């Protein structure tokens, strides 16, 4: 059986088992409830956490090594600047489209009308960094510290600098490059090893999550939940295929077949960062994007491009405004588009951060930040769905950029979807 099919089975089985355990654990103190608590906490949690830890383990070395190779292949020329500007522009454009679509549809559906206030939990927003701080922070003072902290933008800056310097260092640079290229192969093999554990890891992650998910909270907020899912679906299945066709002329159906493993991982881990090794593998080995493009666009996208998160923030803003009976007006909506696009840049690709940066958006238009407490109960499941969209968006932009730069292999794109990339 193909590995991607096995992962899909692991996912479905995990959701089913989790849902059954959720029902069983209702009878508190009974034997089945204790058994299900033991399974969830001592088996699923342990295996799932180890699996996510192993994925995260690869992120920093993968980005560093792969981007050094990629930027050294590009060298320091006008083309690199053009590629970077194109990537950045497309990331911002897709996010702005996402948030606009969310605001438009949320205003048609009115998810927050008739909501009873005061039935949510507590929410304390952390301090949001200023734009100035964000900009200065992109440049590392210590590359080792950047790696220890997993600060992706700083690692990107350092890797590009090193890769470009290698091309300009003649023979010594070539020698170092050879080492990095071999190192890159080794890390890709580690990703392959991990992929074979994926069906079990994904099963445990989802079984634990669904055993704890409060279905009641989702029913209470069905209109909000449904609106976010609807806009996420429209963006994923409408906007992305359109952009792909328009900018690169590629068949969107083939694209989705190729990107499937990354979508499944984004959903299971709710983290663009943890999914990055898979996204990189998918971009290079299944879509056919050259390493010199993917090694830059994928980590950058996982860090700054969050279309799904922006969609949640758009719908949440309208929902909270309606629940608190505040009219933010057209100017307010424009401010939301600008802030949510920037918030998406500042949202780290880890679970739940989208809610924290939502505080920034709400503050910008003078809405009560406590409103977040209203939607926090359903955020975990939405986080998974929006992360799948975030990761897909990174792949769409990477594909468009690679195609336009002629660093794209159509043979891989058209053939690989029927074969399993992860078999050695
Ligand atoms: N979990 C999301 C991601 O990693 C970020 C968020 O929306 O919270 O892409």
């Amino acid at each position: 059986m193909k590995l991607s099919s096995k992962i899909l089975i692991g996912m479905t089985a995990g959701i089913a088992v989790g849902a059954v355990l959720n029902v069983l654990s209702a009878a508190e103190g009974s034997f089945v409830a204790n058994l299900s608590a033991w399974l969830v906490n001592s088996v699923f949690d342990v295996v799932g956490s180890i699996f996510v830890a192993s994925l995260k383990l690869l992120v920093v070395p993968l980005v560093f090594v792969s981007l050094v190779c990629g930027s050294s292949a590009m060298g320091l020329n006008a083309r690199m600047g053009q590629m970077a500007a194109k990537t950045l522009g497309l990331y911002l454009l897709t996010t702005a489209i996402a948030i606009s679509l969310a605001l438009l549809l949320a205003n048609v559906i009115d998810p927050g009308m008739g909501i009873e206030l005061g039935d949510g939990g507590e929410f304390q927003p952390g301090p949001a960094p200023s734009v100035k701080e964000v900009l200065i922070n992109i440049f590392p003072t210590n590359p080792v510290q950047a790696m220890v902290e997993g600060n992706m933008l700083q690692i990107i800056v350092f890797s590009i600098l090193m890769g470009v310097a290698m091309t300009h260092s003649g023979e010594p640079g070539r020698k170092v490059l050879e080492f990095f290229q071999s190192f890159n192969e080794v890390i890709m093999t580690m990703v392959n090893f991990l992929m074979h554990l994926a069906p079990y890891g994904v099963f445990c992650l989802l079984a634990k999550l669904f055993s704890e998910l409060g279905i009641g909270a989702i029913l209470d907020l069905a209109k909000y939940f449904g609106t976010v899912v609807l806009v996420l679906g429209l963006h994923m299945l409408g906007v992305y295929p359109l952009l792909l066709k328009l900018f690169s002329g590629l068949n969107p159906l083939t694209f989705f077949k190729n990107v499937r493993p990354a979508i499944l991982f984004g959903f299971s881990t709710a983290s663009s960062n943890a999914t990055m090794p898979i996204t990189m593998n998918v971009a290079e080995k299944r879509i056919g994007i050259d390493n010199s493009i993917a090694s830059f666009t994928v980590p950058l996208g996982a860090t700054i491009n969050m279309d799904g998160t922006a969609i949640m923030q758009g719908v949440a803003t309208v929902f909270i405004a309606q629940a608190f009976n505040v009219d933010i007006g057209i100017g307010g909506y424009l401010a939301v588009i600008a802030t949510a696009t920037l918030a998406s840049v500042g949202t780290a690709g880890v679970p739940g951060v989208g809610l924290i940066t939502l505080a920034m958006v709400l503050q910008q238009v003078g809405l009560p930040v406590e409103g977040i407490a209203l939607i926090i109960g359903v955020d975990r499941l939405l986080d998974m769905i929006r992360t799948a969209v975030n990761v897909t968006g990174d792949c769409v932009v990477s594909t468009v950029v690679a195609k336009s730069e002629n660093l794209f292999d159509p043979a891989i794109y058209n053939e690989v979807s029927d074969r399993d990339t992860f078999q050695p």
Side-chain angles (χ1 to χ4, degrees):
M1 196 193 290
K2 286 204 294 183
L3 192 63
S4 46
S5 309
K6 280 194 207 163
I7 297 173
L8 201 60
I9 292 176
M11 258 180 83
T12 322
I15 293 175
V17 169
V20 170
L21 292 182
N22 190 306
V23 176
L24 291 182
S25 59
E28 271 176 48
S30 68
F31 173 71
V32 273
N34 290 342
L35 181 71
S36 100
W38 176 81
L39 262 180
V40 170
N41 295 319
S42 306
V43 182
F44 299 154
D45 194 17
V46 173
V47 179
S49 302
I50 293 178
F51 179 64
V52 174
S54 328
L55 275 174
K56 287 188 189 157
L57 163 86
L58 293 179
V59 171
V60 169
L62 178 71
V63 172
F64 174 51
V65 175
S66 173
L67 189 50
V68 166
C69 294
S71 54
S72 123
M74 275 248 168
L76 185 59
N77 52 31
R79 195 169 164 203
M80 184 162 184
Q82 191 189 323
M83 186 273 285
K86 215 184 296 178
T87 309
L88 213 60
L90 279 171
Y91 277 150
L92 293 178
L93 176 74
T94 51
T95 309
I97 294 177
I99 172 88
S100 309
L101 198 64
L103 290 177
L104 199 74
L105 279 165
N107 268 297
V108 173
I109 301 174
D110 291 336
M113 290 293 184
I115 285 291
E116 302 265 321
L117 288 181
D119 49 3
E122 286 282 308
F123 182 81
Q124 284 296 338
S130 71
V131 176
K132 179 180 157 191
E133 271 175 275
V134 170
L135 269 180
I136 295 176
N137 267 336
I138 295 177
F139 296 88
T141 48
N142 180 342
V144 178
Q145 190 183 4
M147 287 182 204
V148 171
E149 289 171 355
N151 187 325
M152 215 38 71
L153 294 181
Q154 293 193 352
I155 299 175
I156 290 176
V157 169
F158 180 68
S159 313
I160 293 181
L161 204 62
M162 181 152 169
V164 170
M166 268 155 54
T167 357
H168 289 261
S169 307
E171 183 57 18
R174 208 189 46 74
K175 278 188 195 146
V176 181
L177 178 61
E178 260 172 32
F179 166 77
F180 270 92
Q181 279 166 339
S182 311
F183 199 179
N184 199 20
E185 287 302 314
V186 174
I187 292 178
M188 279 297 187
T189 311
M190 285 170 81
V191 176
N192 275 349
F193 285 161
L194 207 59
M195 291 309 302
H196 289 275
L197 300 177
Y200 313 100
V202 162
F203 169 83
C204 290
L205 277 179
L206 292 181
K208 171 171 187 285
L209 192 87
F210 276 80
S211 74
E212 292 165 349
L213 212 61
I215 305 290
I218 295 176
L219 291 180
D220 288 345
L221 284 174
K223 220 168 163 191
Y224 164 75
F225 189 88
T227 311
V228 178
V229 173
L230 175 75
V231 186
L232 287 173
L234 276 178
H235 194 69
M236 178 108 145
L237 303 173
V239 175
Y240 287 153
L242 207 70
L243 290 178
L244 257 180
K245 201 82 208 144
L246 217 64
F247 286 129
S248 63
L250 293 169
N251 181 346
L253 216 62
T254 318
F255 174 83
F256 282 113
K257 275 191 204 161
N258 290 344
V259 171
R260 196 170 71 157
I263 296 178
L264 297 183
F265 267 78
F267 179 81
S268 306
T269 59
S271 166
S272 316
N273 255 333
T275 310
M276 211 191 299
I278 316 305
T279 319
M280 197 86 102
N281 188 302
V282 160
E284 291 179 21
K285 304 269 161 46
R286 290 174 71 105
I287 304 182
I289 300 172
D290 190 80
N291 168 266
S292 59
I293 300 285
S295 64
F296 173 71
T297 56
V298 170
L300 187 70
T303 314
I304 72 162
N305 184 47
M306 312 270 167
D307 296 356
T309 304
I311 287 173
M312 176 279 286
Q313 293 181 340
V315 177
T317 308
V318 175
F319 175 84
I320 291 168
Q322 289 176 345
F324 283 87
N325 236 329
V326 180
D327 184 9
I328 61 172
I330 287 291
Y333 284 122
L334 291 178
V336 171
I337 295 179
T339 331
T341 307
L342 288 177
S344 139
V345 174
T347 305
V350 288
V353 182
L355 264 200
I356 297 169
T357 44
L358 172 61
M360 198 169 120
V361 179
L362 294 178
Q363 269 162 354
Q364 187 67 34
V365 286
L367 283 170
V369 172
E370 305 82 64
I372 294 179
L374 294 174
I375 53 172
I376 208 163
V378 294
D379 198 63
R380 189 61 174 99
L381 191 55
L382 285 180
D383 195 6
M384 298 164 77
I385 308 174
R386 69 177 180 252
T387 307
V389 175
N390 290 345
V391 170
T392 312
D394 302 341
C395 292
V396 170
V397 170
S398 303
T399 309
V400 169
V401 172
K403 184 85 192 331
S404 73
E405 292 286 320
N406 254 331
L407 288 163
F408 171 82
D409 188 344
I412 297 182
Y413 186 82
N414 291 319
E415 279 169 34
V416 84
S417 53
D418 295 317
R419 124 177 108 78
D420 192 348
T421 330
F422 302 118
Q423 289 307 344

